[in-house]
Amino acid sequence: MKSLVLAEKPSVARDLARVLGCTNKQKHYIEGPKYIVTWALGHLIELKMPEDYDTKFKNWNMDDLPILPKKMELKIIRQTASQFKGIEHLAKRNDLKELIIATDAGREGELVARWILEKIRWKKPVKRLWISSQTDRAIKDGFTHLKPAKQYDALYESAVCRAEADWLIGLNVTRALTTKYDDPLSAGRVQTPTLSMILEREKEIQAFIPKEYWTIQAKIGLMTASWHQHNEKRLFNEQRANEILQNVMGQQAIITSVDKKEKSEQQPLPYDLTELQRDANRRFGFSAKKTSNVLQALYEQHKIVTYPRTDSRYLTTDMESTMHGRVQALQNSYKEECKPAIQNKGKVLARKVFNNEKVTDHHAIIPTDERPIMANLSSDERKLYDIIVRRFLALFYPLYRYETIHVSFKIGEETFSTTESSINDLGFKAVTGKGDEENHHAQRLTDLRKGQEFTVNNVNKDKKLTEPPLRYTEADLLSKMEKYGLGTPATRADIIEKLLSSETIDRQNNRLHPTPKGKQLIELVNDELKSPELTAKWEADLEAIARGSGKPEAFLQNIRNQTTHLVSEIKKSDKKYKAHNLTGSKCPECGTLMKETKGRDGRILVCSNRECNFRKRKDPKVSNRRCPQCHKKMEIHSGKAGAYFQCRRCNLVEKADQKNKSVSKKEERQLLKKYSGEETFGNSLADALKAAMKDND
């Protein structure tokens, strides 16, 4: 008898099959002597849409809302139905004794697998593979310590509650707003309070009135000291600033105190997903979504980091024995940085990192014991991997120790002070690269003592203006979302991308701005839906369900009541809305005014009538052909003589002699079959060609 293993993706299935000794490759599975490995393609099953319950819901009518099916039902996703049927057919084999869920070890992965099991009506025993890295060793170890699937029932219930809540609230409120105001207006349980926070910051900026203030610095010997009173260094009264200037000019400065303090800073904990997204945004300008995608490749493809979608920054105590092996794997690429850890035989100095109580489903993101081949990593992958490695190696370094010297002066009746610091032990900052705080002139304060007098050589008054708060970067917004419990580490990046794609916010110079559409939308939605506190409560309820202490039925009943209330409010509302992007152009098919929207490669005109699907490009399409003079990308046009490229900047035109013929899907399948020599299961044509060329060599 064999075990059926269900992976989430073909690439993961290939790795599992290789480790488990499965070599017989078929279209929908790979078989071996003990295991048959099959795979989903992400989700194969989804919740039914309104029109699946009743065809009348195909048309969006306010009278039909709210749509609250008595029982939420599932359907097979049409685009991936072939793979589902393959799994369904496989599940009927008589030589199968059990099914092993090997999807991603998290809430979403659990949902992917359980919905498939429900649809294929699986009745035999089910076990769970729960691993935090994709290395061969981790897979082998995971299969020797399989867990009963029942252990993760609460996690599955939580995932179902989340999916149904997002369907009920997001779909009903979006339909209600879109129908009432005749414009695509998207709202949801997490995206709306996130948008609300961006709008609140915008209001603060718009309401801000700058104020003038002054600061005063005095040159005392070789030192520069600043005036302050009750820890405030700013003066909002110019007359008072001028008085201080007159009072201290040419006076003697007497030292009233010299305070020396030795301080230390503890090693930072490893990353969880949100902290890594924040750091990558601050350092490299990566969007949260880009960080997630790059990290997934490091985990799944290169197998050099542990499970990415974690909300913990701690490690379990049983991992201490694995630390030395992980450091040894890094030695070739990080020889100098690994020295302290190797000399200490992999002993972690930051003991606080081992805390079982602070690890939920997965521990922090750290390197695996797989040796990295840096040449195989893209530039972005190297950047992200580097900060993960350095944050991990910091655990093996001592504390950062430094000394601060604070000197206070009395000049007449006024108080001035200066502070400098010097580094005693760079500690972990030697590897994290943040040891730039050293003050190279710190020695000039070390010999000072109370009562010493100095001549005040010069006094300056600087005029400045108070500044408004800055718009949020993605790093800032992720911090706010985490603070209020909006979404999970795995979903926050998608929420931000959804706001961008719905054109309610815009990204400019790495900062997030609300659009006119976003400003209007937030005025239309219900106050409860805007509140981060309400969504935070829902997230806490979902977490309680995942831990087995919450009640799914009560949560979903509350969501249904809330949905009815939210839709009712929109129906009664007398608020007005005007599409901000309407143009003067009329649709050639129905005569309705056109709207201008952003496309991937330029602006697009779309008919504002939702029944009409007419759209046309406003901007010419930009090609990959470079102008020979300015090297900018050229536009592509169609003329009487055929296609041609044009650079508007240089007014240069080139005829497109040959257009590359794209390969159709059918041709691609035929080529894949030819070069791979067998049925494929998700590998690309490029991979097959590469393998064929290798065999040729």
Side-chain angles (χ1 to χ4, degrees), residues 87-107:
I87 298 172
E88 190 177 38
H89 181 72
L90 198 57
K92 291 174 183 173
R93 283 178 47 163
N94 294 323
D95 60 343
L96 297 179
K97 62 174 179 180
E98 65 182 5
L99 185 142
I100 298 166
I101 297 174
T103 50
D104 278 359
R107 190 156 25 191

Side-chain angles (χ1 to χ4, degrees), residues 295-526:
L295 187 59
Q296 190 68 23
L298 292 174
Y299 166 68
E300 202 174 278
Q301 185 184 334
H302 302 290
K303 303 173 182 42
I304 52 178
V305 300
T306 57
Y307 185 76
R309 294 192 288 279
T310 176
D311 61 356
S312 177
R313 297 182 62 194
Y314 291 84
L315 306 174
T316 52
T317 49
D318 62 345
M319 293 180 68
E320 193 166 357
S321 60
T322 72
M323 295 292 109
H324 194 223
R326 294 172 198 272
V327 175
Q328 284 180 317
L330 295 169
Q331 258 193 296
N332 281 2
S333 304
Y334 292 88
K335 190 176 180 181
E336 287 302 313
E337 293 88 341
C338 287
K339 270 185 181 176
I342 294 294
Q343 286 164 1
N344 256 346
K345 296 182 180 175
K347 186 184 176 185
V348 171
L349 299 184
R351 306 301 304 163
K352 62 176 180 178
V353 74
F354 297 111
N355 189 331
N356 292 347
E357 291 179 8
K358 295 197 175 181
V359 177
T360 49
D361 295 339
H362 291 281
H363 56 71
I365 301 166
I366 59 172
T368 64
D369 55 9
E370 191 91 357
R371 184 177 292 182
I373 303 169
M374 303 303 277
N376 291 351
L377 305 184
S378 69
S379 169
D380 290 341
E381 287 168 350
R382 274 198 300 272
K383 285 177 183 174
L384 205 62
Y385 184 61
D386 184 64
I387 62 173
I388 292 168
V389 168
R390 290 179 182 278
R391 182 66 73 92
F392 169 69
L393 290 176
L395 300 173
F396 302 89
Y397 280 69
L399 302 179
Y400 167 64
R401 298 184 186 279
Y402 61 102
E403 183 179 64
T404 62
I405 304 173
H406 181 81
V407 182
S408 293
F409 302 89
K410 204 76 173 169
I411 309 176
E413 296 300 313
E414 306 300 337
T415 304
F416 284 71
S417 66
T418 184
T419 303
E420 290 178 348
S421 62
S422 60
I423 295 171
N424 295 340
D425 183 352
L426 202 52
F428 69 85
K429 295 205 175 187
V431 70
T432 58
K434 292 183 179 178
D436 304 323
E437 295 90 345
E438 181 176 5
N439 190 320
H440 298 292
H441 305 292
Q443 294 302 312
R444 66 192 179 190
L445 297 187
T446 53
D447 298 326
L448 298 178
R449 63 186 184 279
K450 186 178 177 180
Q452 275 186 284
E453 289 191 20
F454 295 87
T455 302
V456 177
N457 300 321
N458 196 12
V459 186
N460 292 319
K461 177 183 76 172
D462 287 335
K463 179 183 173 182
K464 297 177 182 177
L465 285 172
T466 55
E467 294 183 349
L470 292 168
R471 291 182 177 91
Y472 292 132
T473 60
E474 283 199 36
D476 301 328
L477 188 59
L478 287 165
S479 297
K480 296 284 283 185
M481 291 173 81
E482 186 177 46
K483 178 185 174 184
Y484 287 107
L486 297 180
T488 65
T491 61
R492 285 173 192 140
D494 288 327
I495 293 297
I496 296 171
E497 291 301 317
K498 194 167 185 178
L499 291 172
L500 287 161
S501 64
S502 65
E503 296 186 350
T504 50
I505 65 170
D506 197 10
R507 192 192 283 121
Q508 297 170 22
N509 300 322
N510 200 31
R511 295 203 174 266
L512 301 170
H513 299 241
T515 62
K517 181 179 180 178
K519 288 175 184 176
Q520 286 192 84
L521 173 59
I522 216 69
E523 295 301 320
L524 302 176
V525 296
N526 323 65

